[in-house]
Amino acid sequence: MLCFYRNTKQGVRLLRVFSPDTLAELPEKIGQEPVTELAPYLFSDQFEPERGEETGSLYDTLTGRCEETAWEELRGRQDALCGERLQGAVLPKCLAKIGRYAFYNCFGLKELSFGAALKDIGAGAFTGCHHVERLFVETGADGTSCLREILAELPEKIRVTYRKGPETGVFWFPEFFEEGVENTPARILENHVHGSGVRYRNCFSSRALNIREYDSLFAYAKAWESPETVADLVLDRLQYPLGLSEEAKKRYQAYLQEMSEEICGYLIRQKDGDRLLFALGQSACGAEVLDRLLDIASKTGFTEGVACLMEERHRRFRPKKRSFSL
């Protein structure tokens, strides 16, 4: 990977990245200086250096070599990691600022990883990033991060891996969308928000996720979201129970018991063996339910699921040993 950059008083400001890969794993340091800022439009097809930044240095992450260069010598390179080519980005833990429209129209971006040092996110940084599926955040010791600000720009359904010190939790934030509805008598345009995603994105206190409030919103998820979204949320809260109270745990477990066949069927269709094994361990599926699930797994060609279900059925309903008297 090649990084076009300039040094600032705060650290290194990245201007452009070149790589044959689709994942941008940005360096923590260049030389002795930490990477603290992403320039505006860095990953956008529409990048142009700001006035005074037409010249900089090019850093090779493989060899550690740096050499001075000008933007004109780099313009038009086919290996610029930008736009639809970018599928994932691992930001430096020391990164403090993302410039405006840094990920503008990165339609292929699916996952993003960042740390607690990130404090400043420019306007429209994630405009056009409609396919982000996963966020990985490492918070400060007090749980603070810029997760809320990033989620506010991403209205789609997103899975967040939330690391706080040695502990890890997984939280799902459902989708939401806004709709303008004309109120003709009042001659105004009313803004209607659909989906529980807004409520989930608002359960933060002082830049830290309020986990108790997050769990209290489960009734809204059940009422407004698809069964698949609710299943994802329930399974990962139980499997990664960071900050999970006993009361919330009982609510999630009750839902899993009630919907065990539907949830396991969903996991079979997704061919998700790990979570299927976990769901079976948390549920009390009867023999008939396990037989129906076995039939689904067999028809979908999910051999791992078939093996898992057969083992579970044998464990729960082991045939009684016959005894003979002479």
Side-chain angles (χ1 to χ4, degrees):
M1 178 186 294
L2 300 176
C3 300
F4 180 51
Y5 72 96
R6 287 178 65 89
N7 287 315
T8 69
K9 293 180 180 180
Q10 291 74 34
V12 172
R13 173 181 167 101
L14 290 185
L15 304 175
R16 200 62 160 168
V17 174
F18 304 90
S19 173
D21 298 325
T22 58
L23 171 67
E25 190 166 355
L26 303 181
E28 294 287 338
K29 291 183 177 182
I30 294 181
Q32 299 300 315
E33 297 298 320
V35 176
T36 58
E37 182 180 353
L38 304 185
Y41 292 93
L42 187 155
F43 291 109
S44 170
D45 285 329
Q46 302 180 21
F47 169 77
E48 283 293 334
E50 296 187 342
R51 181 175 297 180
E53 295 190 334
E54 294 85 356
T55 60
S57 299
L58 195 63
Y59 171 65
D60 188 328
T61 59
L62 185 62
T63 64
R65 181 182 177 184
C66 296
E67 59 180 23
E68 293 186 4
T69 188
W71 171 243
E72 286 303 321
E73 297 178 19
L74 303 173
R75 186 192 300 274
R77 284 186 60 140
Q78 297 300 307
D79 60 344
L81 193 47
C82 61
E84 294 186 15
R85 283 198 62 230
L86 181 68
Q87 294 186 11
V90 180
L91 306 184
K93 294 179 182 179
C94 51
L95 189 76
K97 180 178 181 180
I98 296 178
R100 66 189 187 281
Y101 299 103
F103 292 88
Y104 181 69
N105 281 352
C106 289
F107 304 117
L109 184 65
K110 293 182 179 179
E111 59 183 55
L112 179 74
S113 176
F114 56 95
L118 185 57
K119 299 289 194 300
D120 187 352
I121 300 177
F126 296 94
T127 299
C129 299
H130 298 303
H131 296 95
V132 177
E133 300 172 350
R134 297 176 295 275
L135 296 177
F136 301 86
V137 54
E138 188 169 329
T139 74
D142 55 357
T144 58
S145 71
C146 66
L147 176 60
R148 181 179 185 176
E149 290 84 347
I150 292 179
L151 285 170
E153 291 206 35
L154 302 171
E156 290 76 23
K157 173 184 173 182
I158 294 178
R159 183 181 193 261
V160 176
T161 300
Y162 187 91
R163 299 189 183 97
K164 181 182 178 183
E167 299 180 285
T168 298
V170 176
F171 301 87
W172 285 85
F173 289 81
E175 181 183 17
F176 75 93
F177 67 94
E178 300 181 19
E179 178 186 26
V181 178
E182 183 179 1
N183 186 332
T184 305
R187 297 182 178 180
I188 59 174
L189 188 66
E190 298 177 344
N191 191 41
H192 292 188
V193 179
H194 303 273
S196 65
V198 167
R199 291 179 180 269
Y200 275 95
R201 283 163 173 77
N202 285 333
C203 54
F204 285 80
S205 302
S206 301
R207 302 184 73 246
L209 178 64
N210 187 327
I211 297 176
R212 185 174 293 275
E213 183 180 351
Y214 175 97
D215 288 328
S216 73
L217 298 175
F218 184 50
Y220 293 99
K222 288 195 297 182
W224 294 347
E225 304 304 328
S226 68
E228 293 80 10
T229 295
V230 181
D232 286 332
L233 190 155
V234 168
L235 289 168
D236 280 336
R237 279 303 285 135
L238 289 173
Q239 193 166 6
Y240 304 95
L242 175 65
L244 184 63
S245 68
E246 281 300 316
E247 181 182 357
K249 181 179 180 180
K250 290 178 182 177
R251 287 198 298 267
Y252 290 136
Q253 287 177 329
Y255 181 85
L256 179 55
Q257 291 293 342
E258 179 187 355
M259 303 295 291
S260 58
E261 183 174 357
E262 291 81 358
I263 290 174
C264 289
Y266 162 61
L267 298 175
I268 290 169
R269 291 189 295 274
Q270 294 290 309
K271 297 189 175 181
D272 191 338
D274 291 338
R275 289 205 296 171
L276 175 61
L277 187 63
F278 175 79
L280 288 171
Q282 296 288 310
S283 65
C285 296
E288 292 183 0
V289 171
L290 289 174
D291 286 341
R292 288 196 293 269
L293 293 172
L294 267 166
D295 186 54
I296 296 173
S298 178
K299 288 179 179 178
T300 56
F302 184 28
T303 55
E304 181 184 352
V306 170
C308 177
L309 288 161
M310 288 183 67
E311 183 178 345
E312 188 67 20
R313 196 188 191 293
H314 180 74
R315 185 182 68 82
R316 296 187 187 186
F317 307 101
R318 185 172 299 173
K320 294 181 179 179
K321 292 183 179 179
R322 295 182 179 181
S323 59
F324 299 92
S325 58
L326 299 177

